[in-house]
Amino acid sequence: MGLPPVFKTKQPATSLYITILLSDSNLQAALWQQDNQGIAVLSKSTIYEYSDDDQAVTQADKALQNLGKQSEKVNDIVFGLPRTWADDQGVIAIKKPILKSITEGLDLSAVGFVMTSEALSKQLVAGDPRLSALLVEFSQYELFLSLIVQGKLTSTQYVGRSGETMADMTEALARLNAHHEEEIKLPAKIILSSLDLDESELKDQQQLLLSHDWVNSHPFVHSPTVDLLDKEMILEAVIKQGGGDSVENPTIASKVAEKPVKKEMVEASEIAVEIDSQETTVANVEPTSYGVPVSLNKLDHKIKPELKSQDEVNLSDSKIEKSSQTKMKFNNWFREHRSFAIGGFFAGIVTLLVVAGVWLTSGVKAVVRLSLATELISKETIITLSSESDGVDANKLVLIADTIDKKVSDKKTKETTGVKVVGDQAIGEITLYNKTEAVKSFDKGTKISKGDLVFTLDDIVEVASASTKETSSGKETEYGKNNVKVTAAAIGADSNIEKEIELQVASFDPGTYSATTVEAFSGGSSREVRVVSSSDRDQLIEDLRKKLLAEAQDEIEKSLDEGEYIASVNISKINEQKFDAEIADEIGVLTLDLSITVQALSYRTEDLKPLAQSVLEDDVPDGYTIANSEPQIMSAPDQESSVSGEVQLLVNITSEAKPDLDLEELKKSILGKSIDEAKRFLTADDGVKSVKIDLIPSIAAKIYARIPTDFSKVEIK
């Protein structure tokens, strides 16, 4: 959360501050400076665990000692707090005592606090202004989910951790979606962060999220990547993104002392403290900085005591007199029984030490958590899924598969693309000429042409022979002729020819037979229309099959149990395929009704484990065994090798190998050692990456920080 500029005093050119980052069970400190050049982190502490307020003060003191000599003169502190530690009114009541214990116990002056989630989101956006991601923060008891879209933090939600991370994520996403009017499309990036989880535990959460089917269960466009955030970045974000805004002036006490104030509850973004309505001095109030009490010891010289009434003076004198009498009686008794009192005191101390020693040696339990140095093993191979197999054959890499049949049907339409020319033929009348000396009969359908235009006789026609007669000028020949109707062989207006056009009669020589149009031909016309083509039908079948296949696959996947997957989905039978028009039919839209049966082969991940073991065992380094965690398997069907009831899967199998450790021997080796000695001994083993040791009850760590000598009181996980 941003911190407002509530102070009026000018800052020096360079100011030093301490930040303590708190979670439900861990804390970390840093020393930093602010000057004209900005903010610079000077030193950081290691991360310390705590279990109660008292231990928090002790661990905070250790953290401050890590910061070096320069930090000893710094009193101003900015807290980094989880989102659940504050509300609109400031720090919640249940968390104020721990902050008060730290500030008063370590003589610090609280400047304010910063919400870790908001600071971390700002730091990520500062590195990538167009960032879109889900920021997931794990604390000991809660899971925080922040949505960042195009460089803007739109919402932060949190849920209590139930031990089932995916159930917690689902609930947090539902709460996130409830704060938006429309269903949100989630970004394809998840970033994990935690101050409470160690590297191994956070990596386990990463693997769990990577193996989840996000696309089919949540509004993700495609499967998100899952990245881990370095713990050091949390503290850096609190300092750089929040700390700089919270220290614009050096001290809050100066503001409270400046002038009398009226009774009111100041906004949470300022100082959450209720002040008397009458004009009063600073001595009458206990100022707080964002809900954290601030010591006014340094202001004692500025405070003038108020005059008391006579009654108050008399009452005070009476109390002093009674106190003096009680003290005198005690002194007299102690002088008479000095030896007895001293002996009893030391006897009590000895008894207490004996009881504490017995308890420490017999009642304390140690829980040792090892983070192992695992090796990642990956290999690509081909396995066979068979519905006819009796079981898993690890040697032959055969995996048993179940056959699932699903009947689906639907209809689909498509605009036709075929083109057909339709229209009417031209008609007209011609005169046939016979230039020979013999009568000529022409059959119905005889072709008459003009260039590319062809016409046919509508009826049989007989044409008389040519005749010759004498005239004054000589012999004159008169051709035989007869009129007949003709029709164009093709549709179209091109056949509407003019009158008195000479025509070719069949293949005869024009010197023997010829023809001429009597009048202009008419009636010829043409136009293009859309009809069904073969490609229209083929495309419609292909599109509808794909659609039904996808629907069937989706329905089959929804019916699968957790840990069950399908590897091959194919059409096994066409139940019905019906078009509403045939090829070349004049129609604008073609409809197909299709019903198919889809067959899929399914397998279970638990059946893949022995195969993964068999595939990877040759690549496991000496001294390691494959971990019991789920193997990561990326697979794709090899369609070329598929046969009925069987499919070849090209798979890439990745798993972790953990070192072979004799936990019983390790346990024996650390009995009676100090916590630090035990950690050094265990981490000396190459197979151990880090060690976390808890003493139960936790107060034992302050008194007797050693591993119990009783074998049964030590547990290694």
Side-chain angles (χ1 to χ4, degrees):
M1 111 181 344
L3 299 174
V6 299
F7 309 104
K8 304 302 180 184
T9 307
K10 275 193 173 182
Q11 284 288 79
T14 299
S15 301
L16 295 176
Y17 299 93
I18 290 172
T19 286
I20 293 184
L21 176 63
L22 286 161
S23 72
D24 291 326
S25 60
N26 290 274
L27 60 84
Q28 187 179 15
L31 175 67
W32 52 281
Q33 72 176 22
Q34 184 183 41
D35 55 25
N36 295 332
Q37 301 301 317
I39 293 174
V41 179
L42 304 179
S43 58
K44 300 178 185 177
S45 75
T46 56
I47 297 174
Y48 289 90
E49 288 186 72
Y50 71 91
S51 59
D52 53 37
D53 292 3
D54 291 337
Q55 191 179 14
V57 176
T58 303
Q59 299 295 64
D61 188 27
K62 291 181 181 179
L64 295 185
Q65 292 176 27
N66 289 171
L67 302 182
K69 291 280 186 182
Q70 192 176 7
S71 67
E72 295 177 0
K73 297 180 181 180
V74 181
N75 295 103
D76 291 335
I77 179 173
V78 176
F79 287 103
L81 304 180
R83 191 67 185 84
T84 51
W85 283 37
D87 57 20
D88 292 342
Q89 303 303 317
V91 176
I92 61 177
I94 197 173
K95 294 300 181 182
K96 287 184 179 181
I98 188 173
L99 303 184
K100 182 176 180 180
S101 297
I102 292 174
T103 52
E104 292 185 348
L106 302 179
D107 193 25
L108 298 172
S109 177
V111 175
F113 66 86
V114 178
M115 292 289 94
T116 306
S117 296
E118 282 84 341
L120 197 51
S121 298
K122 286 183 179 180
Q123 183 73 353
L124 291 170
V125 171
D128 183 1
R130 305 298 295 173
L131 176 68
S132 292
L134 284 174
L135 173 61
V136 182
E137 299 169 84
F138 294 94
S139 73
Q140 186 174 4
Y141 305 114
E142 290 93 16
L143 180 148
F144 299 86
L145 184 63
S146 300
L147 176 61
I148 304 172
V149 179
Q150 294 295 307
K152 294 182 179 179
L153 176 62
T154 64
S155 179
T156 297
Q157 302 296 322
Y158 70 91
V159 296
R161 291 185 65 192
S162 64
E164 296 292 335
T165 299
M166 291 317 306
D168 298 341
M169 282 291 293
T170 300
E171 182 180 351
L173 286 169
R175 293 187 183 185
L176 199 66
N177 198 61
H179 283 70
H180 295 76
E181 295 182 358
E182 298 181 357
E183 184 179 37
I184 54 177
K185 286 295 182 182
L186 298 175
K189 185 172 187 176
I190 298 176
I191 302 173
L192 305 186
S193 173
S194 177
L195 189 66
D196 291 339
L197 302 187
D198 60 31
E199 184 179 356
S200 176
E201 291 171 324
L202 196 59
K203 189 174 181 181
D204 289 341
Q205 298 297 335
Q206 179 190 32
Q207 293 302 317
L208 181 64
L209 297 182
L210 281 171
S211 62
H212 185 64
D213 186 1
W214 292 103
V215 175
N216 291 322
S217 57
H218 299 284
F220 284 90
V221 177
H222 53 80
S223 296
T225 60
V226 182
D227 299 331
L228 301 182
L229 204 61
D230 193 324
K231 285 187 179 184
E232 296 298 322
M233 186 174 178
I234 305 175
L235 183 60
E236 182 180 343
V238 168
I239 294 171
K240 292 191 175 181
Q241 296 301 323
D245 295 334
S246 68
V247 293
E248 296 181 7
N249 292 281
T251 177
I252 192 165
S254 60
K255 179 180 179 181
V256 179
E258 281 177 6
K259 60 181 180 179
V261 294
K262 294 183 179 180
K263 181 176 181 180
E264 61 180 354
M265 182 61 72
V266 186
E267 293 292 332
S269 60
E270 296 185 7
I271 305 169
V273 60
E274 191 170 84
I275 306 172
D276 194 271
S277 60
Q278 301 298 322
E279 293 192 357
T280 180
T281 62
V282 179
N284 294 88
V285 297
E286 181 184 0
T288 64
S289 174
Y290 300 88
V292 182
V294 178
S295 174
L296 297 180
N297 294 335
K298 298 179 181 179
L299 302 179
D300 286 345
H301 65 283
K302 297 182 181 179
I303 302 172
K304 297 180 180 179
E306 297 180 354
L307 295 177
K308 300 180 180 179
S309 67
Q310 186 62 40
D311 291 340
E312 290 174 324
V313 172
N314 293 338
L315 180 61
S316 176
D317 292 343
S318 175
K319 289 181 179 178
I320 293 172
E321 182 178 353
K322 289 181 181 179
S323 176
S324 298
Q325 292 173 357
T326 302
K327 184 176 181 181
M328 185 178 298
K329 289 180 181 179
F330 175 78
N331 290 338
N332 291 335
W333 179 89
F334 184 76
R335 281 195 296 270
E336 294 175 5
H337 303 87
R338 179 188 299 271
S339 299
F340 174 77
I342 294 175
F345 173 76
F346 282 107
I349 293 295
V350 171
T351 302
L352 182 61
L353 291 175
V354 170
V355 172
V358 172
W359 174 72
L360 287 173
T361 55
S362 62
V364 177
K365 180 181 178 181
V367 179
V368 181
R369 294 179 174 86
L370 302 181
S371 177
L372 303 182
T374 57
E375 294 284 341
L376 203 62
I377 307 172
S378 181
K379 191 171 184 179
E380 188 175 276
T381 188
I382 293 178
I383 65 175
T384 301
L385 286 178
S386 176
S387 60
E388 299 174 358
S389 174
D390 295 330
V392 178
D393 189 335
N395 294 324
K396 295 182 179 179
L397 298 182
V398 175
L399 182 65
I400 187 171
D402 294 326
T403 301
I404 303 175
D405 291 319
K406 185 69 178 179
K407 183 178 180 180
V408 287
S409 61
D410 200 356
K411 67 169 54 180
K412 187 175 178 63
T413 60
K414 181 186 183 303
E415 291 187 357
T416 55
T417 60
V419 177
K420 180 179 180 181
V421 179
V422 298
D424 297 319
Q425 299 159 296
I427 58 175
E429 186 177 10
I430 64 172
T431 300
L432 278 173
Y433 293 97
N434 182 0
K435 299 177 181 180
T436 68
E437 295 178 353
V439 175
K440 177 63 177 175
S441 178
F442 295 95
D443 294 331
K444 178 181 179 180
T446 299
K447 292 182 178 180
I448 309 296
S449 61
K450 176 62 176 179
D452 294 333
L453 300 176
V454 177
F455 305 88
T456 58
L457 301 182
D458 291 347
D459 297 301
I460 299 173
V461 61
E462 185 177 279
V463 182
S465 60
S467 59
T468 303
K469 62 180 180 179
E470 294 288 342
T471 63
S472 57
S473 58
K475 290 183 178 181
E476 183 177 297
T477 301
E478 183 178 352
Y479 300 144
K481 61 181 180 178
N482 200 356
N483 291 350
V484 63
K485 299 287 186 178
V486 296
T487 301
I491 61 175
D494 291 344
S495 297
N496 293 330
I497 57 179
E498 300 296 326
K499 69 176 181 178
E500 296 181 356
I501 299 297
E502 292 187 0
L503 304 173
Q504 172 73 36
V505 179
S507 58
F508 294 112
D509 188 317
T512 57
Y513 307 103
S514 64
T516 304
T517 57
V518 177
E519 297 291 341
F521 286 10
S522 63
S525 65
S526 66
R527 69 184 187 281
E528 290 184 347
V529 294
R530 288 197 302 177
V531 296
V532 178
S533 68
S534 60
S535 62
D536 292 336
R537 291 171 60 122
D538 293 341
Q539 188 65 50
L540 199 54
I541 291 173
E542 181 181 351
D543 292 346
L544 189 50
R545 283 186 180 183
K546 286 182 179 179
K547 180 176 181 291
L548 292 178
L549 194 61
E551 288 179 0
Q553 180 171 342
D554 185 56
E555 291 182 19
I556 291 173
E557 288 177 345
K558 288 180 179 178
S559 68
L560 297 176
D561 297 328
E562 186 174 357
E564 189 176 9
Y565 300 91
I566 55 175
S568 175
V569 180
N570 295 293
I571 297 175
S572 62
K573 180 182 178 182
I574 297 178
N575 304 313
E576 183 183 19
Q577 179 177 296
K578 183 179 180 181
F579 291 98
D580 66 343
E582 299 297 327
I583 294 176
D585 285 354
E586 184 180 342
I587 188 172
V589 177
L590 179 64
T591 301
L592 169 63
D593 286 286
L594 184 62
S595 173
I596 62 174
T597 298
V598 173
Q599 187 177 85
L601 292 180
S602 69
Y603 65 94
R604 287 171 288 275
T605 52
E606 62 183 24
D607 294 334
L608 277 171
K609 288 183 181 179
L611 292 185
Q613 181 87 23
S614 177
V615 170
L616 298 177
E617 61 184 4
D618 292 338
D619 296 329
V620 177
D622 292 337
Y624 282 76
T625 56
I626 295 178
N628 292 326
S629 58
E630 292 279 348
Q632 299 296 313
I633 301 174
M634 303 295 292
S635 62
D638 184 356
Q639 299 294 347
E640 294 182 358
S641 59
S642 297
V643 296
S644 178
E646 186 176 289
V647 65
Q648 300 278 357
L649 275 184
L650 179 63
V651 299
N652 184 285
I653 303 176
T654 302
S655 186
E656 284 187 339
K658 63 179 183 179
D660 296 324
L661 298 178
D662 189 337
L663 299 184
E664 298 300 308
E665 285 300 319
L666 289 178
K667 188 188 298 187
K668 292 178 183 178
S669 301
I670 63 173
L671 295 178
K673 293 182 182 293
S674 70
I675 299 296
D676 291 338
E677 286 176 333
K679 286 184 177 180
R680 284 195 296 270
F681 175 82
L682 293 172
T683 53
D685 192 309
D686 292 338
V688 178
K689 183 166 58 176
S690 62
V691 178
K692 183 179 181 183
I693 301 178
D694 295 319
L695 294 183
I696 301 173
S698 59
I699 194 173
K702 298 180 181 180
I703 305 171
Y704 187 76
R706 303 187 75 84
I707 305 295
T709 56
D710 187 347
F711 186 86
S712 64
K713 297 293 184 180
V714 180
E715 180 183 3
I716 297 183
K717 296 182 178 180

